Amino acid sequence: MVCVCGHTAEQHLQEAMHPPGPLAQKWDPKIHTQERPTDAFGDMVCSDLSEKQSKYVRLSDNTPPGTIYELMTQHWGLREPNLLISVTGGAKDFTMKPRLRSVFRRGLVKVAQTTGAWVITGGTHTGVMKEVGQAVRDSSLSSRCRESRVVTVGVATWGAIHNRHSLVRPPHCSALVYGGVKN
């Protein structure tokens, strides 16, 4: 059985499959979701980054930015940014000329390192976001110094994450209370 949101019944809580009101109603996150403590957070190993561990958390779309900032700086230990660099674009793959690719990658890393910036992307491995990830990967492989590391933050929708269910903690693990999660 497929829900009106497009996901299967197994991907929802039981009460989400029997919402109050007419079933033909257009799916609306304010009506058809509920907020609760998140069950998806922790450390993940990025195998293409020399087994580097990265933090992740699943948050509600209305989690206050200050709460997210506190989590990242005080609990994850990220240094406060002097600058935010947002790299956005379509998730469509494209071809970049080798010289332009090299200039983009080196320039992005140099600016981020020299300014103490955080680089924020859409968090997927396609399009310009893939270029950012590869630039940061290459930089981290060539530089072991913590001060020269580039802080990269990927913000992706839950449905776009491959193998996302492996990021959900078992029921016996305590839930993180930052923000929440909509299901």
Side-chain angles (χ1 to χ4, degrees), residues 123-139:
T124 62
H125 192 64
T126 56
V128 73
M129 296 167 285
K130 181 177 181 179
E131 293 296 331
V132 170
Q134 290 174 337
V136 172
R137 176 201 61 206
D138 293 349
S139 167

Side-chain angles (χ1 to χ4, degrees), residues 62-83:
N62 62 3
T63 302
T67 301
I68 300 168
Y69 184 77
E70 178 186 327
L71 170 69
M72 295 170 73
T73 57
Q74 294 180 18
H75 298 279
W76 288 357
L78 295 179
R79 67 182 189 278
E80 292 185 2
N82 295 319
L83 177 70

